[in-house]
Amino acid sequence: MSTRHEVKVTIINRLGLHARPAMSFVDAASVFKSEVKVCREDTEVDGKSIMQMMMLAAGQGTELTIIAEGPDAEAACKALKALVDAGFEEE
Amino acid sequence: MLKLTDIVARGAIVAPLKGKQRDQVIRELIESMVASAIIDREAAEHLYLRVLDRELKSTTGFGKGVAVPHAKDPRMKRISAAIGLSQSGVEFNSLDRQPVYSVVLLISPDDQPNEHLRAMEAIFKHVGSDVFRRLLRQCQDPAQVWSLLLEADAQKHNA
């Protein structure tokens, strides 16, 4: 059964969503079967593509919406939110 | 969005690159930044090691024949990039295990994380475009690359 879930997150780490955290996000998203989109205002990118994630230019304090659609959408949202909330284990 | 021509130093375009390996190419691009007085000789060695260190943590060969190695340096006043093109491909330990044909070396000041993100945004919006990547690979010399960057900044290739 396919479901759609979305969750709002705020980037808290000082350096923002630079290449390494973006890679962590993509790696974490890719574990799930669901499609994962990440939105910043009117920009929507594929949460499993590092090249697209780098287009978000999401600095500290930026609000993003994570939208997952598929069999494990809820789990995907939960895991990705936890990663962002933990500041990608950075300062 | 930042303009590519505001980020890339006109004198730091290396086309074609001589090196076939990641470290050689990073060295060539660092040297092009020294030659165009973006960084000094003393900073060059330090930056070379910083960029390599970053690659060892995780590759910036993000796929589709593009790599964006980068480092920060407190001596930089503003963000600056060098571009290198390879005809035959560079071994870069990319995510997709394919050779890299376009390398953008980005050096950012230490204290402007958002400018670094905005530069990455501008670079990826362009290199994410199939049309832009194809045109970039067709460039034969630095002058052609610069013309393409000017055109891209004028939004002609946002296909």
Side-chain angles (χ1 to χ4, degrees):
Chain A
M1 193 186 73
S2 182
T3 57
R4 185 180 185 280
H5 274 268
E6 67 174 71
V7 63
K8 283 195 184 341
V9 295
T10 303
I11 300 291
I12 59 164
N13 53 310
R14 186 177 64 84
L15 298 178
L17 192 65
H18 62 100
R20 265 176 296 139
M23 272 304 304
S24 305
F25 189 100
V26 167
D27 286 345
S30 300
V31 168
F32 296 94
K33 289 193 179 77
S34 296
E35 186 182 14
V36 176
K37 300 281 184 197
V38 182
C39 302
R40 176 185 185 177
E41 293 154 12
D42 54 355
T43 303
E44 182 186 281
V45 303
D46 180 351
K48 296 183 181 182
S49 159
I50 180 67
M51 295 184 96
Q52 290 199 25
M53 287 293 289
M54 294 306 294
M55 294 182 201
L56 290 172
Q60 188 180 36
T62 303
E63 284 188 17
L64 301 173
T65 306
I66 300 166
I67 302 164
E69 198 163 354
D72 48 11
E74 187 172 3
C77 280
K78 196 174 165 189
L80 294 169
K81 181 177 176 1
L83 181 65
V84 178
D85 286 350
F88 304 94
E89 309 294 335
E90 292 190 337
E91 52 180 304
Chain B
M1 192 168 78
L2 289 181
K3 289 186 169 176
L4 291 175
T5 48
D6 288 339
I7 303 166
V8 176
R10 191 171 185 169
I13 299 171
V14 184
L17 288 160
K18 293 190 192 79
K20 308 274 183 236
Q21 305 291 330
R22 178 189 67 200
D23 299 6
Q24 299 165 342
V25 163
I26 289 170
R27 173 69 80 185
E28 275 183 78
L29 292 175
I30 293 267
E31 288 300 323
S32 78
M33 285 183 141
V34 174
S36 48
I38 295 156
I39 55 175
D40 61 28
R41 173 58 55 198
E42 190 190 340
E45 194 57 34
H46 172 74
L47 275 172
Y48 173 70
L49 295 173
R50 287 283 288 271
V51 172
L52 284 192
D53 189 51
R54 169 65 184 80
E55 288 302 320
L56 295 178
K57 283 181 182 143
S58 66
T59 181
T60 65
F62 293 124
K64 299 192 177 182
V66 178
V68 188
H70 54 271
K72 291 180 180 161
D73 188 277
R75 286 164 287 199
M76 294 295 282
K77 294 280 185 286
R78 56 185 293 271
I79 207 152
S80 194
I83 290 187
L85 301 183
S86 171
Q87 305 280 353
S88 51
V90 178
E91 196 58 55
F92 214 94
N93 189 32
S94 291
L95 293 174
D96 62 3
R97 301 173 194 276
Q98 297 301 308
V100 158
Y101 299 92
S102 309
V103 183
V104 183
L105 173 71
L106 184 66
I107 308 292
S108 308
D110 242 356
D111 56 351
Q112 297 171 27
N114 288 347
E115 283 301 290
H116 174 79
L117 294 175
R118 289 180 66 214
M120 284 289 200
E121 173 195 16
I123 291 164
F124 281 96
K125 277 202 171 149
H126 290 290
V127 300
S129 148
D130 295 343
V131 175
F132 180 82
R133 280 199 314 281
R134 193 175 66 238
L135 292 172
L136 187 59
R137 277 191 66 177
Q138 286 169 359
C139 289
Q140 301 288 329
D141 57 43
Q144 288 181 6
V145 174
W146 188 254
S147 300
L148 176 63
L149 299 185
L150 286 170
E151 279 183 52
D153 283 339
Q155 299 294 318
K156 288 180 187 169
H157 302 297
N158 272 7

